[in-house]
Amino acid sequence: MRNVDILIIGGGPAGLAAAISAYEAGCRDILILEREENLGGILKQCIHNGFGLHTFKEELTGPEYAQRYIDKVLEYGIPAQCDTMVINITPDKVVTAVSRGAGLEHFKAKSIILAMGCRERPRGSLGTPGWRCSGIYTAGTAQKFTNLKGLMPGKRVVILGSGDIGLIMARRMTFLGAKVLACVELMPYSAGLKRNIVQCLDDYGIPLLLSHTVVDIAGRERLEGVTVAEVDPKTLKPIPGTEQYFECDTLLLSVGLIPENELSTMAGVKISPATNGAEVNENLETSVEGIFSCGNVLHVHDLVDYVSEESAKAGANAYKYVQGQLSREEDTLEVENGFGVSGAVPQHISKDLNEPITIMFRPRGVFKDAQVCIDVGDVQVATKKSRILTPGEMVTLKFSPEYLRKNTNADKITVRVEAQQS
Amino acid sequence: MMDVIIIGGGVVGCGVARELSRYKLNIALLEKTDDISNGQSKANTAIIHGGYDAKPGTLKAKFNVLGNKMYDKVCEELDVPHKRNTSLVVSFGPDGHAELEKLLQQGIENGVPGLSIIGQDELRRREPNIGSTAYEALLVETGGIVCPYEMTQAYAENAAMNGVTFYRQAEVTGIEKVEGGWKVISKAGTFTAKAVVNCAGLYSDVINNMVSEDKISIVPRRGEYYIVDKKYADAFHASIFQLPTKMGKGILVTPTVDGTVLLGPTAEDIDDKTDTRTTAEGLAKVLKFASLTWEHIPMRNFITTYSGLRAHCDRNDFVLGEAPDAPMFFNAAGVESPGLTSAPAIAQYLAEMIADKLSANKNENFNPIRKGIPKFREMNDEQRARAISINPDYAKVVCRCETVTEAEIREAIRRPVGARSVDGVKRRTRAGMGRCQAGFCTPRTVEILCEELHISPLEVTKFGGNSKYIESYLFEKGDNENA
Ligand SMILES: Cc1cc2nc3c(=O)[nH]c(=O)nc-3n(C[C@H](O)[C@H](O)[C@H](O)COP(=O)(O)OP(=O)(O)OC[C@H]3O[C@@H](n4cnc5c(N)ncnc54)[C@H](O)[C@@H]3O)c2cc1C
Ligand SMILES: Cc1cc2nc3c(=O)[nH]c(=O)nc-3n(C[C@H](O)[C@H](O)[C@H](O)COP(=O)(O)OP(=O)(O)OC[C@H]3O[C@@H](n4cnc5c(N)ncnc54)[C@H](O)[C@@H]3O)c2cc1C
């Protein structure tokens, strides 16, 4: 059994940023475990640009963005063991990992940072009827084939779901000579970033069919086509008579991401049904003392810059915990998802908070000329106006700790949207 | 001339192959598709039926009860996951009592042990999550569940170990009578054999009708399913049938040996024997009926849907044994449900009959034991450490949902009658069967298939034929900078 102060699971942007900030806070006993051969996480395959605008004020590609963090990790000499898969975590922080080089190892950590990222929702979870042929890929799988393996999955493409990865792949497949026929989205709005819709669909004349879905899949062996129908925006049920057939050999799915929390569950960490990630307090500490969570495994982010920022906080707090300087208040207020809000993080905030706190969430629909509000008890303590809110863009809102002290008999914190839903 | 040609690599054909390999015979099995277990034997409900359901006096009733009794021993010898989790036939409302009684009596007549009717309290004690209108149930203590493709696989591997030759992509297109036997024309060549066994599932009518005037006809009867994530492994313990009513035969809710939950199947007669599509109507029906048993079906936790085609014979029963007008041509035709349960008994029955007619001697070297691929996910730490020290590929987890390692995938390809496609790997290892449905592991599985079979990624398929993954290389070969 090896002892470690801070053990970080996952060497993507979250794990890297957490490691760097823990080091900068003074920790000298850190270990990153990463199951792939290289650090960088999902960014390794995101070869498009648009990363780092917030953090570095310049446009980087995914691998370039990741490299900045990898370079820092190397410069600081933080050990990272790649090709190593963590297979178990116990509530008392014993971690089991396997690797070709070292076989099966146990680590006893003072603190653990969960940074395992997420995976994509598959076709099966949608229950789309039809043939179970080849030619149907999640957008991320197709991205891996094209960008890391140099292999082209197909030439005539329909994209189901308008998540960012799907949008990015619409453009990528077009660059690689494929014909992208349409991007089909069930909801009346896109799940992706506005800039991706403009730069990846509009610029290439790829139609975005909102309130549409794939209702049938044709092709006994390889995909031959899909039937798309309009849906009723209220019931989301297909409207008979609106079917149109697209002849295609490839269907890419971009229908959501699921945080990868199997290990968290093994460790006894409580999972929020709203985010599918851990429930955390303002220190990003989970329901298990000394175990922290950050990045896409905590909740699905839109921008990697926010992942880095959040994870830096988790790293610094983990080191405070190791030094015995992180107080864990049992007396917390719950953060409630009010009107128009889903998956607010953190879920618990200490009543004795003494630093400003940022709450992040996703709007539960599209709102125009909206105002986002935080209430402590029934007192409104922070607001922010926004011309438009969409589920594709995460909202962040900060408020100051003094409001908690002023309003000691509040029983909860509510995040909500004030607007007409459009 | 060979001794026996078996047509069809489902659980029955592979079972017959294994049971025949107990004798000193020269045996080949011809399978149409790129893999065994590609027909009914891959897409069914995976239940070891008690035997109360079939009409007394039918072959279905007889072989069901016999097969059920054989399961523990066969699964033990062949290392196949199975479990006696019991079955329950539940009536929803007080009107079902007489029907339950009838099933009970029918079961007793068929020779099914361990049947009883249980009331509300006992039912809810056993199944706390059962729907609020569940009233009483027939308890079938011998009911169980099994992994049907591993069962087929295990039979095939054991048969191959004991000398049976397997040909895949070997569709039989014609059979002719020749002196002393039969000439069997297939896409993998022409064979002659003293005996032929027809285990062609949905096409067992076509094969029978090539040689016999005693015609049969098979209608494909489709059944559709949902699979629920293994998070819900403990939702139900027994396989829960609904008592048939005027509204229909009902829909089952059952745990699988892998920890997932199946909802289904529907029953719809269709005209195309290849149409394994799922349909919006069928899936809606599954949900409608299943929600009687499971009121809060976790809709966001489906991992996939599928459908299977039953080989329903116009005689409403299995057709087993030598055709009346074609000596040494044996049928295992129309083997629909409870065919999986009956398979061990059918295999033994036919093998003994054929061996007897060929006056075959016992194969002294017959080894009944087959071991499954050691599964990393089922090992404890000590076993894992040992497995990795012997084969470091055990440290490389390829499928993260089901924790399947590279060692297991390579072995699935290298074994006798090994995997040739991504679905073949999936059925032998569960790689890609979990909640992300192969999104993450497909690229790596494709690479491993290329390495093991010495093929290019352009040739790798999902399940043979044109079910390819990759359309072209993005760069000139050798110039694949990123690869
Ligand atoms: C396909 C895709 C495209 C994207 N495009 C953009 C974009 O254009 N712009 C943008 O700003 N953001 C984009 N994002 C989002 C951004 O990349 C993610 O927010 C960011 O990568 C999340 O970082 P992470 O470290 O939380 O997760 P990841 O990058 O997924 O890293 C998690 C790491 O943990 C490792 N790991 C997981 N489990 C284990 C285990 N058991 N043992 C050991 N290691 C483990 C994984 O191998 C992985 O390396 C994209 C995301 C995806 C999925
Ligand atoms: C929806 C459904 C649910 C079921 N549920 C249960 C259950 O819960 N319990 C139970 O006991 N049973 C069940 N069954 C029945 C059981 O699955 C079958 O009885 C059993 O799998 C039959 O096996 P088989 O080998 O006869 O047929 P199959 O598995 O269909 O195998 C036939 C094989 O023959 C091959 N073939 C066809 N034509 C040719 C040719 N010309 N040349 C060469 N090869 C050919 C096919 O490709 C196929 O591989 C179910 C069946 C279905 C469809």
Side-chain angles (χ1 to χ4, degrees), chain B residues 7-13 30-33 35 37-41 43-49 170-172 199-203 207 221 223 225 265 308-310 332 335-342:
Chain B
I7 304 171
V11 67
V12 174
L30 307 182
E31 163 55 43
K32 174 166 86 175
T33 66
D35 205 354
S37 194
N38 250 339
Q40 297 178 85
S41 303
N44 53 54
T45 324
I47 290 183
I48 308 174
H49 288 291
E171 179 181 1
V172 172
C199 309
L202 284 161
Y203 298 88
I207 299 291
R221 182 171 287 176
Y225 299 83
L309 301 180
R310 305 170 182 87
V335 183
E336 62 175 334
S337 192
L340 175 63
T341 315
S342 310

Side-chain angles (χ1 to χ4, degrees), chain A residues 62-239:
Chain A
E64 285 170 343
Y65 183 94
Q67 197 59 43
R68 299 217 170 172
Y69 290 83
I70 296 170
D71 289 345
K72 263 266 152 68
V73 164
L74 294 176
E75 181 193 324
Y76 291 158
I78 303 170
Q81 193 175 314
C82 288
D83 228 339
T84 303
M85 170 94 176
V86 174
I87 54 171
N88 194 34
I89 309 178
T90 65
D92 55 352
K93 303 188 203 58
V94 174
V95 171
T96 313
V98 292
S99 62
R100 267 186 233 261
L104 185 131
E105 291 176 283
H106 292 293
F107 302 88
K108 169 85 187 156
K110 289 188 183 141
S111 173
I112 294 175
I113 300 176
L114 305 169
M116 289 89 72
C118 57
R119 74 188 86 173
E120 298 172 276
R121 281 183 76 203
R123 166 190 178 187
S125 65
L126 307 177
T128 312
W131 292 94
R132 290 171 302 286
C133 46
S134 74
I136 304 172
Y137 311 83
T138 59
T141 302
Q143 190 177 49
K144 192 166 184 179
F145 272 128
T146 57
N147 295 357
L148 294 180
K149 311 274 178 201
L151 298 170
M152 185 68 174
K155 279 287 162 70
R156 280 178 74 83
V157 184
V158 169
I159 299 190
L160 175 59
S162 60
D164 287 311
I165 318 170
L167 300 175
I168 299 280
M169 281 310 287
R171 179 176 62 184
R172 180 76 183 136
M173 294 297 278
T174 307
F175 283 169
L176 294 173
K179 172 84 190 146
V180 180
L181 303 167
C183 176
V184 179
E185 168 61 54
L186 179 70
M187 304 305 286
Y189 45 79
S190 161
L193 293 171
K194 182 75 192 157
R195 80 162 194 233
N196 282 339
I197 295 172
V198 173
Q199 294 174 5
C200 301
L201 298 182
D202 298 353
D203 287 359
Y204 301 90
I206 300 167
L208 173 61
L209 304 178
L210 297 174
S211 291
H212 279 72
T213 192
V214 170
V215 293
D216 199 15
I217 291 173
R220 274 153 208 266
E221 294 179 343
R222 174 79 193 206
L223 181 68
E224 289 164 14
V226 298
T227 306
V228 171
E230 198 176 333
V231 299
D232 179 319
K234 294 233 161 53
T235 63
L236 303 182
K237 294 262 182 293
I239 305 171

Side-chain angles (χ1 to χ4, degrees), chain A residues 9-15 33-36 40-43 45-46 48 51 84-86 115-118 140 143 165 168 195 260 263 295-297 301-304 307:
Chain A
I9 304 174
L33 298 180
E34 165 57 51
R35 75 174 153 218
E36 306 227 328
I42 206 75
L43 291 186
Q45 66 185 56
C46 300
H48 55 280
F51 296 84
T84 303
M85 170 94 176
V86 174
M116 289 89 72
C118 57
Q143 190 177 49
I165 318 170
I168 299 280
R195 80 162 194 233
E260 202 167 321
L263 289 173
N296 273 355
V297 77
H301 291 70
D302 50 352
L303 288 180
V304 70
V307 169

Side-chain angles (χ1 to χ4, degrees), chain B residues 11 44-53 60 63-76 80-89 112-115 139-149 151 155 237-241 252 254-257 262 337-345:
Chain B
V11 67
N44 53 54
T45 324
I47 290 183
I48 308 174
H49 288 291
Y52 58 85
D53 192 38
K60 282 186 182 172
F63 283 91
N64 183 338
V65 175
L66 284 173
N68 182 304
K69 289 196 180 117
M70 294 169 71
Y71 250 89
D72 301 284
K73 177 153 183 265
V74 175
C75 288
E76 165 96 50
V80 176
H82 79 296
K83 191 173 162 191
R84 297 276 178 185
N85 66 322
T86 74
S87 300
L88 288 169
V89 187
V112 181
L115 292 176
L139 168 66
V140 186
E141 279 170 18
T142 55
I145 49 181
V146 64
C147 177
Y149 22 86
M151 180 80 184
Y155 265 143
H237 305 96
S239 304
I240 303 189
F241 296 77
L252 236 122
T254 177
T256 68
V257 289
L262 295 184
S337 192
L340 175 63
T341 315
S342 310

Side-chain angles (χ1 to χ4, degrees), chain B residues 167-417:
Chain B
Y167 296 87
R168 287 177 274 179
Q169 289 169 311
E171 179 181 1
V172 172
T173 53
I175 307 175
E176 289 162 21
K177 185 84 195 100
V178 291
E179 182 63 33
W182 300 95
K183 182 159 110 182
V184 178
I185 302 145
S186 88
K187 294 198 172 153
T190 297
F191 302 81
T192 52
K194 293 176 192 153
V196 170
V197 197
N198 169 20
C199 309
L202 284 161
Y203 298 88
S204 52
D205 55 348
V206 178
I207 299 291
N208 174 76
N209 298 350
M210 285 176 186
V211 302
S212 174
E213 283 312 308
D214 191 26
K215 305 286 183 205
I216 56 174
S217 160
I218 303 278
V219 178
R221 182 171 287 176
R222 181 157 60 197
E224 301 184 40
Y225 299 83
Y226 277 101
I227 310 183
V228 181
D229 193 281
K230 61 186 174 188
K231 258 198 269 184
Y232 294 89
D234 296 325
F236 297 95
H237 305 96
S239 304
I240 303 189
F241 296 77
Q242 299 174 345
L243 184 68
T245 64
K246 294 186 291 292
M247 301 293 294
K249 268 204 82 173
I251 290 290
L252 236 122
V253 175
T254 177
T256 68
V257 289
D258 303 310
T260 53
V261 184
L262 295 184
L263 316 180
T266 51
E268 179 202 358
D269 285 350
I270 58 174
D271 12 82
D272 180 352
K273 287 181 178 177
T274 63
D275 190 353
T276 54
R277 273 182 291 184
T278 53
T279 64
E281 305 76 54
L283 294 173
K285 192 163 170 200
V286 170
L287 287 187
K288 178 171 161 221
F289 281 91
S291 61
L292 265 181
T293 301
W294 196 357
E295 282 171 2
H296 304 289
I297 297 173
M299 310 283 246
R300 282 191 67 84
N301 286 278
F302 293 137
I303 57 174
T304 192
T305 61
Y306 69 94
S307 87
L309 301 180
R310 305 170 182 87
H312 178 67
C313 184
D314 56 349
R315 297 191 185 172
N316 278 318
D317 201 359
F318 302 156
V319 179
L320 301 179
E322 199 170 14
D325 56 349
M328 299 311 281
F329 176 90
F330 300 87
N331 274 313
V335 183
E336 62 175 334
S337 192
L340 175 63
T341 315
S342 310
I346 295 175
Q348 187 181 46
Y349 168 76
L350 287 178
E352 283 174 2
M353 177 186 291
I354 295 163
D356 186 50
K357 299 219 169 185
L358 291 173
S359 310
N361 292 321
K362 284 246 175 285
N363 171 3
E364 306 300 338
N365 299 323
F366 175 76
N367 176 2
I369 304 299
R370 170 261 182 191
K371 281 273 156 236
I373 301 173
K375 300 181 178 88
F376 186 77
R377 64 178 172 277
E378 290 174 1
M379 299 176 186
N380 62 30
D381 279 359
E382 214 175 297
Q383 293 165 323
R384 285 175 171 164
R386 198 172 332 116
I388 296 168
S389 72
I390 297 167
N391 179 357
D393 284 348
Y394 264 109
K396 221 31 212 169
V397 175
V398 175
C399 165
R400 56 191 184 190
C401 300
E402 297 291 310
T403 323
V404 181
T405 63
E406 191 167 317
E408 290 156 76
I409 294 178
R410 290 192 189 275
E411 184 166 349
I413 303 167
R414 288 176 195 170
R415 284 206 162 204
V417 208

